[in-house]
Amino acid sequence: MNKNLTLLTDLYQLTMMQGYYQNNTTQTAVFEMFYRKNPSQNGFAIFAGLHQFIDYINNINFDVDSLEYLKSLNIFTPDFLEYLKNFKFTGDIYSIPEGTIIFPEEPLLRVTAPILEAQFIETTMLNIINHQSLIATKASRVVHAANGDPVLEFGLRRAQGPDSSLYGARAAIIGGCSSTSNVLAGKEFDVKISGTQAHSWIMSFKSELDAFRKYADLFPDKCLLLVDTYDTITSGIPNAITVFDELKAKGLSSDFYGIRLDSGDLAYLSKKARKMLDAAGHKEAKICASCDLDEYLIADLKRQGAKIDTWGVGTKLITSDDCPSFGGVYKLVAEKNGNNNFIPKIKLSDNPDKVTRPGVKKIIRVYDKENYKIKIDIIALEDEHFDESKTYIISDHKARWKKMTIQGGTYITKELLIPIFLEGTCVYNTPTVMEIHSHTKQELNTLWDEFKRLVNPERLPVDLSDKLYELKTNMIEEYRAVELI
Amino acid sequence: MNKNLTLLTDLYQLTMMQGYYQNNTTQTAVFEMFYRKNPSQNGFAIFAGLHQFIDYINNINFDVDSLEYLKSLNIFTPDFLEYLKNFKFTGDIYSIPEGTIIFPEEPLLRVTAPILEAQFIETTMLNIINHQSLIATKASRVVHAANGDPVLEFGLRRAQGPDSSLYGARAAIIGGCSSTSNVLAGKEFDVKISGTQAHSWIMSFKSELDAFRKYADLFPDKCLLLVDTYDTITSGIPNAITVFDELKAKGLSSDFYGIRLDSGDLAYLSKKARKMLDAAGHKEAKICASCDLDEYLIADLKRQGAKIDTWGVGTKLITSDDCPSFGGVYKLVAEKNGNNNFIPKIKLSDNPDKVTRPGVKKIIRVYDKENYKIKIDIIALEDEHFDESKTYIISDHKARWKKMTIQGGTYITKELLIPIFLEGTCVYNTPTVMEIHSHTKQELNTLWDEFKRLVNPERLPVDLSDKLYELKTNMIEEYRAVELI
């Protein structure tokens, strides 16, 4: 990403910044990003987009053009515009690594910086991380439904604009896809790309057989033929078999050959196609299917015994069709006072789920020592420590009578937030996309199947430490007391 | 858009191109883009994205990096890569102008070029035009529901990546939004931007009243105060009234002042707020609402008498939440033979709706001469002409017994496709985004209200000319005859 995204922000960020600037409000603030609800009724989400967010921070620059434009709006003062000229991010950012399993309410990203800077980066952060986390999560659902079969990301033409396809393909690979059709994504992220031919190829030759033959001549070792241009059963598959026979007769070995079904009933057609291919001696020929697939249809086709080896998933993955947004938000949680102490901040709401959790926080993930499955996530204050040899009783913060005992010696803890920027300097090396893809796979192994169900999964407990629970409760009561006066 | 999007394509476009190249397949082909179904159950769609598509075509360039990458894949031959080095689009493109009302099955964009070129540009064209047409259509629904009230586009943080927010904001303005919060969109497209303050502003001051006062000091002439940080009725609105009183007492006139509601029940709160503001003498204070709005909720709030003047619409507009993709496709419809004649091409399918319409086509829009409302759209072959003084009987192509008579002298016709590129050179000057916004408004006036209903709208007749109908029927029967042999 070489684009300058500095102005890709909501106008109110700049009006508020000018407000802070004019009031000499330079105190250090702490903001945290979190989300409230898993997309697509999933049991968790996959965190993604950190690398592009880092690029954004590193490239913040109000250039001459941008400053001219802001000046032309007649709402900013000359001294504030002068301040923007040298604006850089100078604070600290802690984040969860990409490919990590996350749950609602957890602080995913924590920013400690002069309030102007911490405020400014909100919108672009949310845009980038909401998008990629959404698509990574959706992809992991689709890959889960495919149950070990390769899933190919095919959505470029239906993605919401160029970036959406490019970074969507990145997120899809992070979520578990094996490859993408997107050539630019292949180049930018060093991931596998795939694709063969479209209906127009078949239509541009005198006959389907002719089109297949020409394709086989060109790419004998990767010969996947699209069989539904005229009629799958009476024309496409017989012609494909003729070409596969010819390849065999020529003694050409093929890494990968087979057919692609792109319309009709995929359960019926794939079973019929399998029989026809097998009867013709092409047991090793693969059947790839595409056509409005998503995790629900893939799971259903598998239940019906469809003979599909590879799934090309387009529109519904790249747009996260059933839930096209990820609701990440970014809230002020603390401010430094004159004595350099962090004063917690809270936002109230009539809706209890919208009351924020005050204070500088972290996530402690607790794994079972035996099998390394996640037992519970604890949102705690930054200065809290858990001793793995000790026994703790954790209360459900929404129903305090529900308690979980974690027995000393039976568990391992891990803190999920790691430093990304310290005093404005990036201290983190982003892994490659394929390394993140592997990390996601390992992460998914830390979850029992109950949490991975596509519909109505079990909810993993995410609770507040007692100290955080008390802080939150006390602050709410303090505000309520003021209200009652 | 300065990015080089040349590699933003599906791998199969390049493998097919190599196939055409190796086979010396250089014939001129005609492809048309169309879509099959209106998004969000709307009665029509709004065409958008042409300008970015033009930019893309003008900037196609396989640079050294791209060619190196393609070479590294080991699937392309050196002579084909050499060919790509100087690859340019040299053909003709006709398109509907942006902001125009469109209907399913109509040829929106027609490309006539050597088949390698016509094939290559498919994916990026679809990506760009599908996205912007989707969002322009969704925006027009939201604006229709708001019934004359300004609609502000606020979705940046939930859009599917940076481009999605930037070009989504452009499309939202084309669809009828009054402004966007997106500063970069304001700069790039010269459209109005808006926004004031977030909860963090309120929380960063000692009290809500203090935060409001500071904001009013800074922006007395555009003072919209966010009133739901602590409690809308008992705290936010009374504090806002105090500040409005103070502004008045100072004799400061304000272009625009008011409150923003961002949570709670917007019908109840807006009516209560209106009463409180009026009782305090602030009848001119505006009430702006935001919070998970879409066309359905806006229409319902209006039915319940909500006192909302301005609507800030975010997530559900910028992602087209209930239908996050626009299904534009691009199909081969004809090829030139050795005698320089166009030979029509057809793609069959078991699903009758997926059989393509063969031949080089255009759209003739027929307006009632009296009121300039659309009567019917006719998809015709390029060489057909309609004489406005003559009477025609048009048959419904899906139910031939349904006929419409257009009486000579009572109608006006307009051809919608206009030249954009001729022999590779752009011959079109894109209007400004605000000009397109005005064009959309005029276009919407050509539709009766029946076609604009949000749910279950009447379907405008789009039919095939007799000549096209016959061509299609004959071609289908020809293929079927072959099949039966």
Side-chain angles (χ1 to χ4, degrees), chain A residues 146-422:
Chain A
N147 197 25
D149 300 339
V151 174
L152 322 177
E153 189 285 299
F154 275 2
L156 205 170
R157 64 190 59 197
R158 301 286 169 80
Q160 297 191 351
D163 280 350
S164 174
S165 67
L166 179 62
Y167 301 114
R170 178 181 189 274
I173 301 280
I174 288 177
C177 286
S178 306
S179 70
T180 173
S181 66
N182 190 321
V183 181
L184 189 57
K187 173 172 179 286
E188 295 286 307
F189 309 125
D190 196 17
V191 296
K192 201 178 148 195
I193 57 176
S194 57
T196 57
Q197 85 267 171
H199 295 114
S200 52
W201 172 269
I202 315 293
M203 290 159 74
S204 73
F205 288 85
K206 279 189 201 72
S207 71
E208 188 179 53
L209 184 58
D210 198 26
F212 285 178
R213 277 189 178 131
K214 283 285 177 342
Y215 198 84
D217 283 350
L218 285 158
F219 302 104
D221 56 340
K222 273 194 183 60
C223 185
L224 192 75
L225 302 172
L226 178 61
V227 292
D228 73 332
T229 306
Y230 302 108
D231 186 88
T232 303
I233 301 291
T234 64
S235 171
I237 300 175
N239 283 330
I241 288 173
T242 302
V243 172
F244 298 154
D245 287 343
E246 291 168 0
L247 281 175
K248 243 189 196 171
K250 283 185 206 157
L252 284 171
S253 77
S254 195
D255 292 353
F256 184 89
Y257 76 106
I259 60 169
R260 177 158 75 96
L261 302 170
D262 190 40
S263 61
D265 190 85
L266 298 177
Y268 169 75
L269 290 175
S270 67
K271 284 188 271 189
K272 185 98 181 169
R274 186 72 272 160
K275 276 188 194 153
M276 292 168 77
L277 290 165
D278 287 356
H282 297 291
K283 284 189 193 295
E284 59 292 21
K286 300 286 186 205
I287 300 176
C288 172
S290 52
C291 185
D292 260 348
L293 293 171
D294 65 8
E295 66 270 40
Y296 305 105
L297 182 52
I298 291 175
D300 232 15
L301 286 167
K302 283 193 154 279
R303 268 190 289 275
Q304 298 192 308
K307 298 290 184 193
I308 295 167
D309 304 295
T310 307
W311 307 82
V313 185
T315 310
K316 292 187 174 178
L317 194 166
I318 204 71
T319 62
S320 188
D321 178 74
D322 61 343
C323 176
S325 62
F326 186 85
V329 297
Y330 179 77
K331 299 287 174 190
L332 179 66
V333 297
E335 271 183 4
K336 246 186 198 163
N337 68 5
N339 301 325
N340 239 3
N341 293 323
F342 283 111
I343 309 300
K345 290 275 174 176
I346 194 166
K347 175 189 170 292
L348 299 182
S349 171
D350 282 341
N351 180 344
D353 288 339
K354 287 201 164 184
V355 176
T356 59
R357 288 156 296 285
V360 183
K361 296 180 293 295
K362 63 183 176 185
I363 316 167
I364 297 165
R365 181 154 288 176
V366 181
Y367 299 91
D368 191 313
K369 207 172 179 175
E370 295 270 301
N371 51 35
Y372 215 67
K373 301 285 183 197
I374 307 175
K375 284 175 80 73
I376 187 172
D377 273 7
I378 302 169
I379 307 176
L381 291 167
E382 176 56 21
D383 57 8
E384 292 190 84
H385 292 286
F386 281 68
D387 177 345
E388 293 175 358
S389 70
K390 287 195 182 150
T391 298
Y392 293 90
I393 297 172
I394 314 289
S395 304
D396 184 320
H397 66 288
K398 285 179 182 165
R400 295 286 286 173
W401 51 270
K402 284 175 75 177
K403 292 179 196 295
M404 176 188 273
T405 302
I406 51 171
Q407 198 70 43
T410 70
Y411 66 91
I412 301 163
T413 60
K414 187 165 132 188
E415 296 202 0
L416 299 189
L417 289 170
I418 56 170
I420 308 296
F421 282 88
L422 293 177

Side-chain angles (χ1 to χ4, degrees), chain A residues 10-11 15 23 119 181 196 200, chain B residues 10 15 119 181 196 200 214:
Chain A
D10 292 305
L11 178 61
T15 53
N23 283 292
Q119 182 70 65
S181 66
T196 57
S200 52
Chain B
D10 291 305
T15 53
Q119 181 70 65
S181 66
T196 57
S200 52
K214 283 285 176 344

